[in-house]
Amino acid sequence: MGKLDGRVAVITGAGRGQGRSHAVTLAAAGADIIAIDLCADIETNEYGLATEDDLDETRRLVEKEDRRCLTAIADVREPGQLRTAIREGVDELGGLHIVVANAGICPLGDVARKAFLDAVDVDLVGVINTVSAAFPYLSSGASIIATGSAAALMKGSGIDVLGPGGFAYGHSKRAVAQYVHDLALTLAPESIRVNCIHPTNCNTDMLHSGPMYKTFRPDLETPTRDDVVDAFATIQPMPVPWVEPEQVSKAVLYLASDDAEFVTGMQMKIDAGTALAHTNPYSLR
């Protein structure tokens, strides 16, 4: 028996990275999956996003766990696309119990000012759109989980360091944290739980990208993976440059399951101590 037997989870940004890891982890625990991804690039985001082949691979890995997986290409910035994808998934799989609003971009560096709008539209509005599209199918015992970031709990760098897109990333993740807090309070009487996970550097394509490397090693013209490992490690007090997606997925599984039956409004850090080192602990909820 799995912890999530008989349940259905919708996951955005499921084509690769944390989203794929969450899909496979929840499937291994017994959940059927509605896997959603844009499967296209965004012009101001200067690293490639997941492809249709990536999303197909997520489906293959979920089905390898002997669970059903319905995939949908949809843009979290477009509420109508999300409503259609989730409705079709619910019709096919028979219900909805878990929402993982995970899709995100981080358009760092010297990019157009429109990157601020693009990052907010995906990282903040996309979370709100996902929850809104899923909410009509949720009932008592459901779990909503949003992907934040350790950046939400830190005193962030300004636009001069991160560029308009990176500045918007921090803005969005802080707003997601507040949204989760207030939504958890609102939905508590219905016994629908709402929580936020805040990873530090995570070993995904977002982290391993030219713009991210350049942000951490501005002294180099074209830094490589080897060049940035030590710089990445300076963020976390624990001696690691990043955490793995699977380590974040363990927290998602906990929050999705009955083990967290009375856990709501949590800002769960999977950050190797990052927030401890970079914030005033008395300012955190």
Side-chain angles (χ1 to χ4, degrees), residues 170-198:
H171 165 86
S172 298
K173 297 303 187 179
R174 289 189 295 274
V176 166
Q178 187 66 54
Y179 173 74
V180 162
H181 176 273
D182 294 349
L183 184 63
L185 189 60
T186 301
L187 297 185
E190 299 186 36
S191 295
I192 296 174
R193 298 177 291 109
V194 190
N195 293 286
C196 196
I197 55 170
H198 294 289

